[in-house]
């Protein structure tokens, strides 16, 4: 495919009209035989991504790290961990991606560093060290013990005592991940310079890890109990994060970050910020940064994770989409996420047939879709035996099923040794079905999940109504999620049957003629003048002519 044909309609809209593909680098492609994926491996697979049809590659952390949390504990923000390669490998990857019309987005982890970062080593050396205030240090509570009741997201208290200096330091995650003090201007300056380091190397944007955690209460008040907490659940949810997350001061930092990346916008387009924000809808909208003059100064794409946790029912998702669309600030770009490295895979959550329906939903809603590697071939979670667990979350809370290893297993490329991922035994075991479920087999199967994703992505790219058009909810009866996508005189209707039985569609939705553009099932393209009957769990996208508006 000619890369020139893959460019979005205008340089400043690539992140609005395009598709983001997340790569967990340890698990995508190993090039050097150590069982761990790397940058050269990603570069080897760029043509696959072009053929799939995505626009941008988001790469999870590749910075130098002791790997206590597999790269989310960073010891150098301006380097590459040797496990993944070198800065030269990174530069070649960016060049190769750009030559193919692909954008490159890096993970940025600003809330915390590794405890082996030089900043923390200096900060912990003494109470009088110049970098002491770069982290959050507090005296023990009266009578001893942690300064307050704050909890780590990975289990246990969020405070660890440093015997040498007699103070506790805060870590919202592992004790090996001390939180930075974002109230300190020197910290902000250093982190913004790290962003500039990668922007100068051609990076097209950043996904910002736990953005809403950056600022903590200045008075270090106790978090209140969570009245909705169910005993036996994730212990970190037993308290409401009133004083540890989503504080108003975060918005100033977001505006500053936006200013840093905006300064690098050029003929290749805007640089994009994507915020990881597990927040209620009303609070999520605040991160677009709408000011009193109607200007959006925040992250361009506050991640919308609602589909990940939603009940897989037509009426539930219909209400979810309507509420999200209604809440968006004027001019804000929506986005949708089906899966990521922290949550169970979509095919495991809803089953393989419903995962096909989910693919059509993701790729026909209004807004930027994000795909997680392997979902396009229907990969599922893999049971990891206790003696093979790698994830520190599971190790800290064993037996609770909180670990994320199951959705981080190696990409299944072929029927060759180790699924074509590596010449050596992979860092995590492969799924039991890898010999049957892989890219190689699905490429030649027109009914495969991969073929479906490619058809849907190609349709989305070809139809302005899908990648840039308006969205309108429709009523098609029980168990059917229906909506229209329109631009100018072009009107598309998407019908998703969530039922395990056939469902008929009224002619009023089909107008004078409805041409089938895509289906999750084996349905030939054709014209339907009367009624359309959807198969169980089938989704269809139709081009409708002379449509009759239905009440919504």
């Amino acid at each position: 495919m000619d890369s020139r044909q893959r460019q979005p309609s205008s340089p400043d809209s690539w992140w609005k009209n395009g598709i983001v593909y997340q790569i967990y680098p340890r698990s995508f492609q190993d090039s050097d035989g150590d069982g761990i994926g790397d940058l050269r491996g990603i570069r080897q697979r760029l043509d696959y991504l072009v053929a799939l049809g995505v626009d941008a590659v988001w790469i999870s952390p590749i910075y130098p790290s002791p790997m206590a949390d597999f790269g989310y504990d960073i010891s150098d923000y301006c380097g590459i961990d040797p496990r993944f390669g070198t800065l030269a490998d990174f530069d070649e990857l960016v060049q190769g991606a750009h030559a193919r019309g692909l954008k490159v987005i890096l993970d940025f982890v600003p809330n915390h560093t590794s405890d082996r970062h030089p900043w923390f080593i200096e900060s912990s050396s003494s109470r009088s060290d110049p970098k002491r205030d770069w982290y959050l240090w507090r005296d023990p509570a009266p009578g001893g013990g942690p300064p307050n009741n704050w909890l780590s997201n990975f289990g246990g208290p969020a405070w660890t005592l440093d015997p040498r200096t007699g103070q506790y330091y805060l870590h919202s995650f592992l004790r090996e991940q001390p939180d930075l003090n974002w109230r300190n201007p020197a910290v902000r300056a250093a982190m913004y310079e790290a962003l500039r380091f990668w922007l100068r190397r051609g990076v097209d944007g950043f996904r910002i890890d736990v953005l809403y955690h950056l600022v903590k209460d200045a008075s270090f008040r106790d978090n209140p109990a969570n009245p909705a907490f169910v005993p036996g659940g994730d212990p970190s949810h037993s308290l409401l994060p009133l004083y540890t997350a989503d504080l108003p001061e975060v918005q100033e930092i977001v505006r500053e970050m936006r200013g840093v990346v905006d300064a690098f916008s050029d003929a290749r387009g805007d640089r994009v910020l994507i915020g990881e924000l597990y927040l209620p809808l009303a609070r999520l909208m605040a991160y677009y940064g709408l000011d009193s003059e109607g200007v959006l100064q925040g992250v361009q794409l506050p991640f919308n994770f609602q589909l990940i946790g939603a009940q897989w029912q037509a009426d539930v998702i219909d209400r979810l989409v309507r509420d999200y669309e209604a809440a968006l600030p004027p001019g804000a770009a929506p986005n949708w996420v089906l899966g990521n490295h922290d949550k169970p895979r979509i095919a495991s959550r809803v089953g393989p047939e419903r995962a096909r329906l989910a693919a059509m939903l993701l790729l026909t809603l209004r807004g930027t879709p994000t795909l997680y590697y392997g979902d396009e071939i229907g990969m599922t979670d893999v049971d990891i035996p206790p003696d093979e667990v790698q994830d520190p979350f599971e190790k800290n809370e064993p037996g609770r099923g909180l670990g994320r290893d199951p959705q981080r297993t190696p990409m299944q490329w072929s029927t060759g040794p180790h699924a074509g991922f590596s010449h050596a035994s992979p860092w995590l075991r492969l799924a039991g079905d890898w010999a049957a479920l892989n890219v190689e087999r699905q490429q030649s199967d027109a009914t495969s999940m991969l073929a479906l994703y490619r058809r849907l992505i190609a349709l989305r790219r070809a139809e302005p109504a899908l990648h840039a058009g308006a969205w309108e909810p429709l009523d098609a009866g029980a168990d059917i999620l229906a909506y229209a996508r329109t631009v100018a005189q072009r009107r598309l209707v998407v019908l998703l049957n969530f039922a395990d039985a056939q469902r008929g569609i009224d002619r009023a939705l089909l107008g004078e003629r409805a041409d089938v553009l895509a289906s999750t099932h084996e349905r030939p393209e054709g014209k339907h003048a009367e009624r359309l009957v959807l198969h169980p769990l089938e989704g269809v996208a139709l081009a409708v002519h002379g449509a009759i508006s239905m009440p919504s």
Side-chain angles (χ1 to χ4, degrees), residues 512-516 524-532 542 545:
E512 299 171 6
R513 192 181 84 237
D515 302 331
V516 176
E525 292 184 9
K527 299 175 182 179
H528 304 270
E530 298 296 333
R531 285 175 58 84
L532 172 68
L542 308 162
H545 308 273

Side-chain angles (χ1 to χ4, degrees), residues 58 151 173 235 318 379 385 433 481 497:
W58 155 30
L151 297 174
F173 296 89
D318 179 62
M379 283 178 61
D433 63 357
L481 177 61
N497 180 13

Side-chain angles (χ1 to χ4, degrees), residues 252-414:
E252 179 184 355
I253 295 169
V254 172
R255 288 192 295 273
E256 291 175 355
M257 286 185 178
R258 177 66 180 271
V260 170
V261 299
D262 281 353
F264 282 81
S265 296
D266 55 23
R268 285 197 300 109
D270 289 347
R271 303 300 189 267
V272 69
L273 290 178
I274 304 171
E276 185 193 26
L277 300 157
Y278 286 95
L279 292 171
L281 191 58
R283 291 305 310 150
L284 182 68
M285 296 299 114
Y287 285 79
Y288 281 105
L290 184 68
D291 67 12
S292 59
E293 298 180 356
V295 178
L296 297 170
Q297 298 180 320
V299 294
Q300 290 100 321
L301 299 174
F303 256 156
N304 172 18
F305 296 119
Q306 294 180 92
L307 291 179
I308 289 181
Q311 289 181 285
W312 210 246
Q313 298 173 359
D315 59 339
V316 172
I317 296 178
D318 179 62
R319 174 46 54 194
L320 180 155
V321 177
R322 291 176 190 239
D323 289 348
Y324 178 72
E325 283 278 353
L328 287 165
N335 69 91
W336 298 93
V337 183
L338 269 183
N340 62 28
H341 61 293
D342 286 331
K343 302 296 180 181
R345 285 189 176 273
I346 181 64
S348 291
R349 298 200 310 268
V350 304
E353 285 301 312
R354 289 177 174 82
R356 295 175 70 88
L357 204 65
M360 180 168 282
L361 174 68
L362 178 71
L363 292 165
T364 58
L365 284 171
R366 188 175 79 93
T368 308
T370 297
L371 312 183
Y372 184 50
Y373 84 96
D375 280 354
E376 76 273 18
I377 61 171
M379 283 178 61
T380 56
D381 293 351
V382 179
D383 289 331
I384 306 297
D387 62 342
E388 296 179 19
V389 167
Q390 303 285 336
D391 187 5
F393 197 4
E394 179 69 16
K395 290 180 177 180
N396 283 0
E397 299 287 341
R400 291 183 178 272
L402 301 176
R404 300 159 296 176
D405 291 338
Q407 59 265 26
R408 297 178 175 184
T409 56
M411 181 67 174
Q412 295 160 199
W413 291 106
S414 72

Side-chain angles (χ1 to χ4, degrees), residues 122-361:
E122 293 179 49
S123 180
S124 60
S125 64
S126 75
R127 292 196 182 197
S128 60
D129 187 88
K131 283 193 168 60
R132 185 66 169 184
D133 192 44
W134 282 44
Y135 295 83
L136 294 164
W137 295 92
R138 299 290 287 176
D139 289 330
N148 61 25
N149 72 346
W150 294 354
L151 297 174
S152 164
N153 287 274
F154 281 173
W159 296 96
T160 288
L161 179 65
D162 174 36
R164 182 167 50 180
T165 61
Q167 285 189 314
Y168 284 84
Y169 67 87
L170 180 71
H171 52 90
S172 297
F173 296 89
L174 297 175
R175 67 176 59 193
E176 294 90 349
Q177 295 171 292
D179 282 24
L180 285 162
N181 177 15
W182 273 84
R183 295 181 184 276
N184 186 331
V187 169
R188 295 193 194 187
M191 296 300 278
Y192 299 156
E193 190 53 37
L195 290 176
R196 295 185 186 100
F197 174 87
W198 296 105
L199 290 163
R200 293 185 190 108
R201 302 191 92 91
V203 166
D204 299 288
F206 300 91
R207 173 266 190 187
I208 308 171
D209 188 61
V210 295
L211 175 60
Y212 59 124
H213 276 276
L214 292 189
V215 179
K216 281 74 177 180
D217 180 53
S219 299
F220 294 88
R221 288 170 285 186
D222 280 353
N223 276 327
N226 181 359
F229 179 70
V230 177
D234 184 344
S236 68
H237 295 166
S238 63
L239 301 177
L240 294 174
L242 183 64
Y243 298 117
T244 49
D246 191 30
L247 271 67
E249 295 93 330
V250 176
Q251 298 301 325
E252 179 184 355
I253 295 169
V254 172
R255 288 192 295 273
E256 291 175 355
M257 286 185 178
R258 177 66 180 271
V260 170
V261 299
D262 281 353
F264 282 81
S265 296
D266 55 23
R268 285 197 300 109
D270 289 347
R271 303 300 189 267
V272 69
L273 290 178
I274 304 171
E276 185 193 26
L277 300 157
Y278 286 95
L279 292 171
L281 191 58
R283 291 305 310 150
L284 182 68
M285 296 299 114
Y287 285 79
Y288 281 105
L290 184 68
D291 67 12
S292 59
E293 298 180 356
V295 178
L296 297 170
Q297 298 180 320
V299 294
Q300 290 100 321
L301 299 174
F303 256 156
N304 172 18
F305 296 119
Q306 294 180 92
L307 291 179
I308 289 181
Q311 289 181 285
W312 210 246
Q313 298 173 359
D315 59 339
V316 172
I317 296 178
D318 179 62
R319 174 46 54 194
L320 180 155
V321 177
R322 291 176 190 239
D323 289 348
Y324 178 72
E325 283 278 353
L328 287 165
N335 69 91
W336 298 93
V337 183
L338 269 183
N340 62 28
H341 61 293
D342 286 331
K343 302 296 180 181
R345 285 189 176 273
I346 181 64
S348 291
R349 298 200 310 268
V350 304
E353 285 301 312
R354 289 177 174 82
R356 295 175 70 88
L357 204 65
M360 180 168 282
L361 174 68

Side-chain angles (χ1 to χ4, degrees), residues 468-523:
W471 170 89
E472 174 193 347
L474 301 172
D475 182 5
D479 299 318
I480 305 294
L481 177 61
Y483 46 91
R485 299 297 311 282
T486 58
V487 64
Q489 301 303 311
R490 183 70 165 170
R491 179 178 176 86
L492 273 57
V493 169
V494 178
L495 302 167
L496 304 172
N497 180 13
F498 281 69
D500 290 311
Q502 291 185 344
R503 289 288 186 268
I505 303 300
D506 191 275
R507 178 179 175 178
L509 277 177
L510 308 179
E512 299 171 6
R513 192 181 84 237
D515 302 331
V516 176
L517 301 177
S519 169
T520 57
H521 287 48
E522 294 185 63
R523 179 187 293 273

